[in-house]
Amino acid sequence: MTFCTIRPLTLAVCAALPLLAQAEAEPTRTLGEVLVHSKAPAENLNLDQRASTASRLGLSVRDTPATVSVVDRDTLEKWGADSTQDMLKHVPGMTAASPPGSAGSVYYRGFGASQLTQLFNGITVQYDAIAARPVDSWIYDRVEVIGGPSTFLFGAGAVGGAINYLSKQPLRDESLLQARLSYGSFDTQDIALGLNQALTRPEQGGVAHTVRVDANQRRGQGYVDGNNRESANVAMSLLSEVNARLSHTLSLEYQRETSHRPYWGTPLLNPTSNGQIDESTRFKNYNSQDGIYQQTVKWARSQLDYQWTDATRLRNTLYHYQALRDYRNVESYRFNSSNSAVSRSSALLQRHDQDLTGNRLELTHQGTLAGLPSHWAAGFDYSVNHQTRYPLSLSPVVSTVNPAQFVTESFFNVPGMTPGFRPDRSNKVTTLALFLENRTQLGERWSLLTGLRHDQIKLGVRNHRTVSATDPAYFSQTYTPTTGRAALSYALSPSANVYVQYSTAADPPAGILTTASFSQVRDFDLTTGRQVEVGSKFDYWAGRGSATLAAYHIVRKNLAIADPNQPGVTLPVGQQSSRGIELATALRLSPRWWVKADVALVDAQYDTFTENVSGVAVSRAGKRPSNIPARVANLRVSHDLTGALQVGMDARYVSRRYADAANTISDKAYTLLGASLNYRLNKQVSLSARLNNLTDKIYAANVSTGQFYLGAPRSAEVAVQVDF
């Protein structure tokens, strides 16, 4: 790829592109909070909205010297995002999939799994690849994403970026009652309700209360044989305004999902290096006939806001998270050498019991530093995360079946599989973090944003099974990473700027500390990451269009690799890197035509990496990490046929990805087409229709060495929403 040798000069030229759109620089805006009271069109990048994920200072997207993407509620409703992962398709360069064993899989900027932090209302549960599985989108207001290292904001585990799903919250001075009904392919049904209502008002005296309730229930058959899913989600919030300076928000959420006979993937034909499937097995499900995935999640958040003075604000968030996840599946399927039969193996009975409690105190202050306007944020975050896992795993082949005609067993008829849960390990992760952030206006056009965070992370693991030298009864480890960010921004005009940023990250050595074993962490410290990014955010064509541009280089060090001299021993000396360019734009071609497009190019590779292959150390230096596409692009076009009727078309391109570190197995690039129609019958009633994968493309949503997790075939959905 031609951009793989990006040089500092090239980055500087890229960052300066907005100069072409500005004939003459103008004075900068006054520093301060940006409040947006009106809704921007769903096609607009809306650079002046605030994004809490990228900074604790309440900065707008435009004023934050980093890549920040915000996918708001209007966009979700217009383009038919039914789940949290559907939301992420609107983030330039991001791909996501939900294979049951890693249903929170997200890939961005050359990294994936535990190298990206996924948060819920700013809180990480430290088990993202599992806990961040898709949730129905109705209860969420928006998703915010920051590209690159963000450990300095949210703690260990964010070298590739951070994703923050934000729930709907009470709206002051607004009453609404909403109902939404939808029906789609595979007998998918969804009913959703939303309520926002003031219980008491300030003029009535005493404490003013506003309540928000959002709930939905969804069920469907799934697009593979025997699979069906049902889910229920409820989010409730009570905003209590004691006076003009003091308020409290109590938020409770309940999520329950059951997937019967989950689909784990489709086996590859031999030789697997061709990355091909037998199309007759596209919708086949090789799981046990009573296989199951089930999850129950409970959230509680208590947020106290106090405007101490006009310049100083305090916020305290006390939170609790509880999750129970159950698996009962046969997960692996492989063709025999003649591709005439499929062997089924890897029977797993598993339970995860996770409990997280924490408190975060934040203080923000607007003042001066050496006579310059300066905005500060500081605070601490303390949490205790406890998880116990109960696995019963059997590796032998369960059965060998005809690929097209077969019947699978009941799960507990698998030889050696018995009901009941026996604990394996209990992991306790205690985190205490101190953080500090500052933005200082250095002059009329220059501003400097800095951030620093210091964590003390203590891991304690108790073994509930047989004690050995490699698996002691109890062990502990303490990590003390310090991470930060420094970014300089220059305003070319009130609507255009350029910036350069340097940030660092720290990741757990085993990927996820809440599941780490003694062998994974005993000789390892946290891995480290750093990023250099230059970019720009600007409006053009007299404000009809807006765009963001960024070029970055990320390096992650101290990966565990096989010792070249002793392949059975691991060494913390590996390195992985990525560099790329991201461009996003939204343009109003005319009062009736809108275009929104983005493209992301990434060159990701292992710089130093040795893999243990059957006892032999094999170098994978120069190879691309699995599931990382080199190119991702999106195009969305919408047209207002009348004031009430709008139609849209969209296209999404993802280049091929490798399934293994040797880069011998890959899928093919694919393009998905979609269409939408939105019609407002009157002020209260709106209708929508959505077609996905118009060409019925067969494609892999996620790739692994023996089987591909295929994406959904052509599907349709119609919905009616009523605002009472």
Side-chain angles (χ1 to χ4, degrees):
M1 299 175 65
T2 56
F3 70 93
C4 359
T5 55
I6 296 174
R7 299 288 189 263
L9 179 60
T10 307
L11 301 183
V13 171
C14 291
L17 284 179
L19 288 168
L20 300 176
Q22 302 292 331
E24 182 177 352
E26 302 174 21
T28 61
R29 296 181 305 282
T30 302
L31 176 65
E33 288 190 337
V34 179
L35 300 177
V36 180
H37 298 285
S38 60
K39 290 184 178 180
E43 296 85 351
N44 201 312
L45 293 184
N46 201 5
L47 298 179
D48 292 315
Q49 65 184 312
R50 288 189 292 182
S52 59
T53 303
S55 170
R56 302 187 190 279
L57 299 174
L59 302 179
S60 69
V61 173
R62 190 190 306 274
D63 288 335
T64 304
T67 297
V68 183
S69 300
V70 179
V71 185
D72 59 21
R73 188 72 219 172
D74 288 347
T75 300
L76 303 182
E77 293 181 355
K78 176 178 178 180
W79 295 103
D82 293 326
S83 73
T84 49
Q85 283 197 356
D86 286 340
M87 299 177 182
L88 303 181
K89 296 176 183 177
H90 296 267
V91 178
M94 185 166 285
T95 58
S98 55
S102 182
S105 295
V106 179
Y107 305 94
Y108 185 43
R109 291 199 167 184
F111 297 88
S114 59
Q115 290 105 51
L116 283 92
T117 290
Q118 297 186 65
L119 310 119
F120 296 89
N121 298 291
I123 301 167
T124 173
V125 300
Q126 301 169 330
Y127 197 31
D128 303 339
I130 302 296
R133 63 180 293 109
V135 179
D136 298 340
S137 62
W138 176 255
I139 65 173
Y140 293 103
D141 178 67
R142 65 192 187 279
V143 60
E144 299 179 353
V145 177
I146 177 173
S150 48
T151 302
F152 56 89
L153 284 170
F154 304 113
V159 67
I163 303 163
N164 191 13
Y165 306 102
L166 294 152
S167 303
K168 295 175 180 176
Q169 292 294 297
L171 304 172
R172 297 179 178 89
D173 304 321
E174 183 172 337
S175 295
L176 65 84
L177 176 60
Q178 296 176 316
R180 185 178 188 273
L181 298 173
S182 70
Y183 183 81
S185 301
F186 322 116
D187 196 28
T188 302
Q189 309 163 43
D190 187 86
I191 179 170
L193 299 171
L195 167 71
N196 189 89
Q197 181 64 50
L199 302 180
T200 59
R201 298 185 180 277
E203 58 268 22
Q204 297 174 323
V207 179
H209 297 289
T210 304
V211 66
R212 175 90 191 218
V213 180
D214 295 280
N216 83 292
Q217 185 172 17
R218 188 175 182 88
R219 62 181 60 192
Q221 294 302 315
Y223 55 87
V224 298
D225 297 342
N227 173 235
N228 64 81
R229 174 185 179 271
E230 53 192 38
S231 63
N233 303 279
V234 181
M236 300 181 292
S237 296
L238 177 65
L239 169 64
S240 302
E241 298 174 280
V242 179
N243 53 47
R245 292 188 177 273
L246 180 63
S247 67
H248 176 264
T249 303
L250 175 65
S251 300
L252 303 173
E253 293 181 19
Y254 174 86
Q255 303 165 13
R256 183 171 177 83
E257 176 191 5
T258 301
S259 179
H260 299 277
R261 202 180 178 191
Y263 165 64
W264 285 77
T266 300
L268 294 178
L269 290 168
N270 287 306
T272 57
S273 57
N274 293 332
Q276 295 182 343
I277 68 163
D278 180 346
E279 291 191 17
S280 69
T281 67
R282 180 184 184 187
F283 303 115
K284 298 301 180 183
N285 189 343
Y286 297 95
N287 200 354
S288 293
Q289 59 183 262
D290 59 346
I292 201 168
Y293 172 80
Q294 192 170 67
Q295 172 175 275
T296 302
V297 170
K298 300 173 185 177
W299 275 103
R301 300 185 304 276
S302 170
Q303 182 173 295
L304 188 69
D305 282 279
Y306 179 54
Q307 192 71 40
W308 192 355
T309 68
D310 291 343
T312 305
R313 180 183 181 185
L314 282 169
R315 171 179 292 177
N316 190 83
T317 304
L318 176 66
Y319 54 89
H320 179 72
Y321 165 87
Q322 186 178 49
L324 188 67
R325 293 176 285 268
D326 286 322
Y327 297 82
R328 188 175 70 227
N329 303 282
V330 174
E331 303 175 357
S332 298
Y333 325 119
R334 300 292 185 270
F335 270 103
N336 61 5
S337 58
S338 61
N339 293 322
S340 59
V342 172
S343 63
R344 304 168 54 251
S345 61
S346 300
L348 176 65
L349 177 67
Q350 173 76 280
R351 166 167 284 185
H352 302 162
D353 189 354
Q354 185 178 5
D355 193 279
L356 166 69
T357 302
N359 190 84
R360 181 169 60 230
L361 177 65
E362 305 169 67
L363 180 147
T364 59
H365 176 73
Q366 289 184 317
T368 59
L369 180 65
L372 300 172
S374 189
H375 193 177
W376 295 86
F380 73 87
D381 197 343
Y382 176 79
S383 67
V384 179
N385 198 345
H386 186 276
Q387 178 167 250
T388 301
R389 286 157 47 102
Y390 303 79
L392 174 56
S393 177
L394 302 176
S395 57
V397 172
V398 174
S399 70
T400 300
V401 299
N402 181 290
Q405 301 292 330
F406 59 90
V407 176
T408 61
E409 72 292 315
S410 295
F411 183 76
F412 288 113
N413 286 338
V414 173
M417 189 60 67
T418 57
F421 296 101
R422 179 188 172 199
D424 179 25
R425 293 190 308 272
S426 292
N427 289 39
K428 182 180 179 182
V429 181
T430 304
T431 304
L432 174 62
L434 303 176
F435 54 84
L436 180 67
E437 190 177 5
N438 174 260
R439 184 178 191 261
T440 298
Q441 195 74 25
L442 300 179
E444 189 177 13
R445 299 179 184 275
W446 293 94
S447 63
L448 176 66
L449 180 67
T450 54
L452 195 66
R453 178 184 176 108
H454 179 75
D455 286 85
Q456 179 178 287
I457 306 168
K458 182 178 180 180
L459 169 66
V461 180
R462 188 167 301 282
N463 175 22
H464 300 290
R465 299 195 179 180
T466 304
V467 174
S468 67
T470 58
D471 204 356
Y474 179 82
F475 71 90
S476 64
Q477 181 69 276
T478 300
Y479 308 96
T480 56
T482 299
T483 54
R485 169 174 69 179
L488 190 64
S489 181
Y490 178 74
L492 302 169
S493 77
S495 60
N497 62 36
V498 291
Y499 66 86
V500 59
Q501 177 213 139
Y502 178 81
S503 56
T504 62
D507 284 333
I512 303 174
L513 291 181
T514 51
T515 61
S517 66
F518 178 68
S519 61
Q520 291 173 319
V521 301
R522 60 178 178 177
D523 298 321
F524 296 88
D525 199 352
L526 295 171
T527 66
T528 61
R530 66 176 187 272
Q531 173 184 263
V532 176
E533 177 181 324
V534 296
S536 180
K537 302 171 187 181
F538 56 96
D539 298 334
Y540 61 94
W541 198 2
R544 294 183 183 179
S546 56
T548 62
L549 173 68
Y552 62 86
H553 184 201
I554 304 174
V555 177
R556 182 180 179 226
K557 294 185 175 181
N558 302 330
L559 280 71
I561 69 171
D563 185 341
N565 300 315
Q566 302 177 75
V569 177
T570 54
L571 299 173
V573 295
Q575 180 173 301
Q576 178 182 345
S577 66
S578 70
R579 59 186 74 192
I581 296 174
E582 295 167 359
L583 172 65
T585 185
L587 174 63
R588 186 179 65 189
L589 294 172
S590 73
R592 293 184 179 272
W593 284 94
W594 284 87
V595 176
K596 192 172 184 180
D598 58 74
V599 61
L601 310 176
V602 59
D603 179 21
Q605 68 174 25
Y606 292 114
D607 301 315
T608 305
F609 190 75
T610 303
E611 187 178 22
N612 183 350
V613 181
S614 301
V616 178
V618 180
S619 174
R620 302 303 189 198
K623 303 297 184 180
R624 192 193 312 169
S626 61
N627 275 290
I628 303 297
R631 297 176 298 279
V632 178
N634 294 289
L635 174 64
R636 296 178 178 87
V637 180
S638 61
H639 176 55
D640 291 332
L641 292 173
T642 68
L645 179 61
Q646 187 179 69
V647 295
M649 292 289 294
D650 61 274
R652 177 173 174 82
Y653 171 81
V654 178
S655 65
R656 74 168 181 169
R657 295 151 298 166
Y658 291 108
D660 59 338
N663 288 183
T664 59
I665 303 172
S666 69
D667 68 341
K668 295 179 180 179
Y670 65 86
T671 300
L672 301 180
L673 302 178
S676 63
L677 181 149
N678 294 276
Y679 178 63
R680 180 161 287 280
L681 191 62
N682 52 47
K683 290 183 178 180
Q684 287 77 39
V685 182
S686 60
L687 306 173
S688 63
R690 173 75 186 163
L691 292 172
N692 299 301
N693 194 2
L694 284 173
T695 62
D696 200 26
K697 180 74 174 178
I698 300 176
Y699 69 100
N702 187 271
V703 295
S704 58
T705 54
Q707 61 199 52
F708 285 177
Y709 182 80
L710 301 183
R714 180 167 45 232
S715 63
E717 183 181 68
V718 294
V720 56
Q721 182 166 315
V722 182
D723 298 306
F724 297 97

